[in-house]
């Protein structure tokens, strides 16, 4: 992240699981019914962004290789891994794109419920990684700093440079960044969705890209007097990338309504995505990230490749690529994409176990001398699958169930607002049931 590594990063399917079930009214056949059927078909189409979901896992693996496999001695591989931090931009742009694509038409009727769902999606696995690291680190001689633990637990490391890099969960900064950006989303969606298509393309998208340069300059310690007010505003990394994704999602949705995808040349629709990804890989393996000018190096991990990822997301959403559509839509690829955020968040604690226990045990049992980093990648993905389907998804469903229970009121009493309902959930005695659920 970021995640990404992503980073919620959040899968397209999970972002689209939040459709509120409302009773449908019976309508007589007519123009309104036909319009409604057309909207329903468009809604169902929104759920088929398979290529983007599968690409999330590839991006997560690129980030993880940047963290742990960037100095193998193989020049081409090291060059490729050195660009892994750039994939954080993809995670944040994709998150904004998916949310805008899903909520622009139907809107957000309950902000508190929206934010609670986002938190419930991100935090259970994140909390698990914190608990595991607090148990494992002292056993390998690394003390757990109380300040760092508090900052990580409350997802504040994105705002506290002292604890941004920590032994507990360094990628966890993206959780705080995502939660902050999710709070911005309901406020930003309306003005962006109401802007003209030309304004979004010609002004808003370039403005987000330029803002990412300020982030890169701030990371380098550059204080430009003209932009000093911006430097004084402490925003989590990749806020510009997330807003860029919102604008891109609104642009794509508008073009979809106008069937503007037919205006894209057929050659680009069928082979453009594959060509862009292939060209990106060639660029990454031919040049090391540290060999470029410093400003480009810092900018590469903060938004330099926004336009590149915009093309990838746009063409991936079309799902018309002749070479990649079939392979990236296979069930195994979709499952990998679904667990990509889990893998990203757990990379630190799984690496601790791989380096100190799992890797040495495998080498001892089988008489091997494997680098634990290669064992780590396999173990990480296996653990990611187990945690996602046996903890993260059940915990998410349990939290939503508790939220729905806390929102029930006797007949005749006014419905509780989303914010108050969220607070009621946090202070409810039914949290005991979550603990029991985990124990079971």
């Amino acid at each position: 992240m970021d995640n990404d590594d992503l980073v919620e990063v959040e899968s397209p399917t999970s972002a689209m699981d939040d459709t509120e079930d409302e009773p449908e009214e019976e309508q007589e056949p007519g123009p309104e019914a036909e319009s409604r059927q057309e909207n329903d078909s468009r809604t169902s189409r929104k759920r088929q962004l398979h290529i983007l979901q599968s690409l999330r896992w590839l991006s997560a693996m690129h980030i993880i290789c940047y963290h742990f496999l960037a100095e193998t001695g193989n020049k081409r591989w090291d060059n490729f891994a050195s660009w892994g931090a750039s994939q954080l931009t993809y995670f944040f742009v994709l998150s904004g794109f998916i949310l805008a694509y899903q909520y622009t038409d139907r809107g957000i009727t309950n902000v508190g419920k929206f934010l609670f769902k986002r938190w419930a999606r991100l935090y259970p696995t994140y909390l698990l990684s914190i608990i595991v690291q607090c148990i494992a680190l002292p056993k390998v001689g690394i003390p757990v700093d109380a300040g760092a633990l508090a900052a990580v637990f409350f997802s504040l490391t994105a705002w506290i440079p002292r604890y941004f890099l920590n032994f507990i969960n360094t990628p966890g900064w993206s959780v705080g960044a995502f939660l902050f950006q999710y709070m911005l989303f309901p406020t930003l969606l309306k003005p962006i969705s109401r802007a003209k298509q030309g304004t979004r393309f010609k002004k808003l998208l370039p403005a987000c890209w330029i803002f990412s340069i300020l982030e890169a300059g701030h990371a380098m310690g550059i204080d430009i007097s003209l932009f000093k007010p911006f430097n004084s505003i402490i925003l989590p990394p990749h806020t510009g990338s997330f807003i860029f994704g919102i604008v891109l999602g609104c642009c794509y949705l508008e073009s979809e309504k106008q069937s503007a995808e037919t205006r894209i040349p057929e050659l680009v629709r069928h082979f453009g995505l594959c060509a862009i990804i292939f060209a990106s890989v060639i660029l990454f393996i031919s040049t090391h990230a540290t060999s470029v000018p410093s400003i480009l190096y810092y900018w590469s991990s903060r938004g330099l490749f926004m336009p590149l990822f915009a093309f990838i997301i746009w063409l991936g959403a079309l799902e018309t690529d002749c070479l990649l559509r079939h392979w990236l839509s296979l069930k195994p690829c979709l499952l990998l994409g679904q667990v990509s955020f889990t893998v990203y968040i757990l990379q630190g604690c799984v690496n601790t176990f791989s380096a100190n226990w799992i890797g040495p045990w495998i080498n001892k049992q089988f008489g091997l001398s494997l680098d634990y980093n290669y064992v780590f990648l396999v173990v990480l993905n296996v653990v990611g699958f187990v945690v996602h389907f046996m903890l993260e998804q059940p915990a998410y469903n349990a939290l939503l169930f508790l939220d729905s229970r806390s929102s029930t009121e006797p007949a005749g009493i006014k419905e509780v607002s989303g914010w108050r309902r969220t607070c009621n959930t946090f202070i409810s005695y039914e949290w005991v049931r979550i603990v029991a659920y985990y124990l079971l």
Side-chain angles (χ1 to χ4, degrees):
M1 240 188 340
D2 302 313
N3 220 274
D4 40 88
D5 352 257
L6 257 119
V7 328
E8 152 205 89
V9 207
E10 178 179 31
S11 68
T13 53
S14 65
M16 297 174 183
D17 286 341
D18 302 330
T19 305
E20 300 176 7
D21 295 329
E22 299 179 356
E24 297 184 359
E25 300 179 359
E26 296 183 1
Q27 295 186 1
E28 298 180 358
E32 294 182 358
E34 294 177 359
S35 176
R36 181 165 182 167
Q37 292 177 358
E38 182 181 352
N39 291 334
D40 291 342
S41 64
R42 185 180 295 121
T43 300
S44 64
R45 183 180 178 183
K46 289 181 183 180
R47 300 177 182 271
Q48 305 302 318
L49 302 179
H50 291 160
I51 291 179
L52 299 182
Q53 181 174 345
S54 299
L55 288 176
R56 290 175 71 249
W57 180 81
L58 296 176
S59 296
M61 288 297 102
H62 196 184
I63 295 171
I64 293 169
C65 290
Y66 164 73
H67 289 157
F68 300 104
L69 288 171
E71 297 180 358
T72 62
N74 185 302
K75 181 179 178 181
R76 298 301 181 189
W77 174 262
D78 291 350
N79 288 348
F80 176 77
S82 68
W83 293 97
S86 65
Q87 298 298 328
L88 294 170
T89 303
Y90 176 79
F91 273 93
F92 283 90
V93 172
L94 180 62
S95 181
F97 176 88
I98 292 295
L99 290 177
Y101 187 62
Q102 179 65 14
Y103 286 99
T104 296
D105 284 341
R106 63 187 178 96
I108 300 175
T109 56
N110 193 316
V111 176
K113 185 176 181 180
F114 168 81
L115 294 176
F116 182 81
K117 287 185 176 183
R118 306 275 74 75
W119 175 86
R121 176 66 70 181
L122 296 176
Y123 203 79
T125 303
Y126 180 58
L127 179 61
L128 173 67
S129 69
I130 296 173
I131 295 173
V132 171
Q133 283 290 73
C134 287
I135 296 173
L137 289 177
K139 295 182 180 298
V140 297
I142 301 177
V144 177
D145 181 74
L149 177 60
V152 172
F153 182 81
F154 292 104
S155 306
L156 298 176
T157 53
W159 291 272
I160 307 177
R162 177 183 176 184
Y163 298 126
F164 189 87
L165 299 176
N166 58 82
F167 289 104
I168 302 173
N169 194 326
T170 295
W173 67 264
S174 59
V175 174
F178 272 122
L179 292 175
F180 175 82
Q181 291 158 5
Y182 291 153
M183 288 189 287
L184 291 180
F185 177 74
T187 304
L188 295 174
L189 182 61
K190 282 188 177 181
I192 293 176
S193 62
R194 292 175 180 175
K196 295 181 179 179
Q197 188 80 325
T199 301
R200 290 193 287 252
F201 271 117
K202 297 178 181 179
K203 297 180 180 179
L204 297 183
L205 290 177
C208 293
W209 194 37
I210 293 174
F211 181 78
S212 67
I213 303 178
L214 300 181
E215 288 191 26
H218 185 72
M220 295 178 64
I222 299 175
D223 185 12
I224 306 174
S225 59
L226 180 63
F227 299 108
K228 195 170 184 178
F230 291 97
N231 289 340
S232 63
I233 300 175
I234 303 178
L235 295 176
H238 290 284
T239 300
S241 301
F242 180 79
I243 299 175
F244 184 93
I246 298 175
V247 179
L248 185 67
C250 292
C251 291
Y252 181 84
L253 186 61
E254 183 68 24
S255 68
E256 186 181 64
K257 292 178 180 178
Q258 300 175 0
S259 299
E261 63 267 16
T262 57
R263 302 175 188 173
I264 301 176
E266 185 175 355
L267 185 64
V268 175
R269 284 190 286 118
H270 290 168
F271 301 100
L273 179 63
C274 184
I276 292 175
I277 293 177
F278 179 76
S280 301
V281 172
I282 295 299
L283 171 65
F284 291 156
I285 66 175
S286 60
T287 307
H288 198 279
T290 57
S291 66
V292 300
S294 297
I295 183 62
L296 293 181
Y297 172 70
Y298 282 95
W299 192 16
S300 67
S301 62
R302 288 167 175 80
L304 172 63
F305 295 106
M306 278 187 195
L308 173 68
F309 293 132
F311 281 110
I312 291 177
I313 292 173
W314 193 288
L315 295 175
L318 291 177
E319 297 193 331
T320 55
D321 190 273
C322 295
L323 300 177
L324 295 178
R325 179 180 57 185
H326 171 71
W327 297 105
L328 294 180
S329 298
L330 294 176
K331 188 67 174 180
C333 293
L334 296 179
L335 291 175
L336 288 172
Q338 196 172 349
V339 303
S340 57
F341 174 77
T342 309
V343 168
Y344 171 77
I345 286 298
L346 293 178
Q347 60 179 293
C349 59
V350 174
N351 181 71
T352 301
F353 277 84
S354 297
N356 295 280
W357 293 292
I358 300 176
W361 181 83
I362 292 177
N363 288 336
K364 181 179 180 181
Q365 291 295 322
F366 299 97
L368 303 175
S369 58
L370 294 176
D371 187 338
Y372 78 90
N373 280 328
Y374 298 98
V375 178
F376 153 71
L377 287 179
V378 178
V379 174
L380 177 60
N381 282 278
V382 173
V383 172
F385 268 96
V386 174
V387 171
H388 177 80
F389 290 106
M390 298 190 68
L391 172 68
E392 182 178 314
Q393 193 64 38
Y396 174 72
N397 294 332
L399 289 169
L400 293 189
F401 171 74
L402 294 182
D403 180 47
S404 64
R405 285 288 298 274
S406 65
S407 65
T408 57
E409 293 286 348
I413 297 181
K414 186 177 180 181
E415 182 182 357
V416 179
S417 66
W419 291 105
R420 184 178 176 186
R421 182 166 61 194
T422 302
C423 294
N424 289 343
T425 302
F426 280 113
I427 65 177
S428 171
Y429 71 92
E430 293 192 8
W431 276 100
V432 177
R433 296 192 180 187
I434 295 181
V435 178
Y437 190 90
Y438 284 156
L439 292 177
L440 291 175

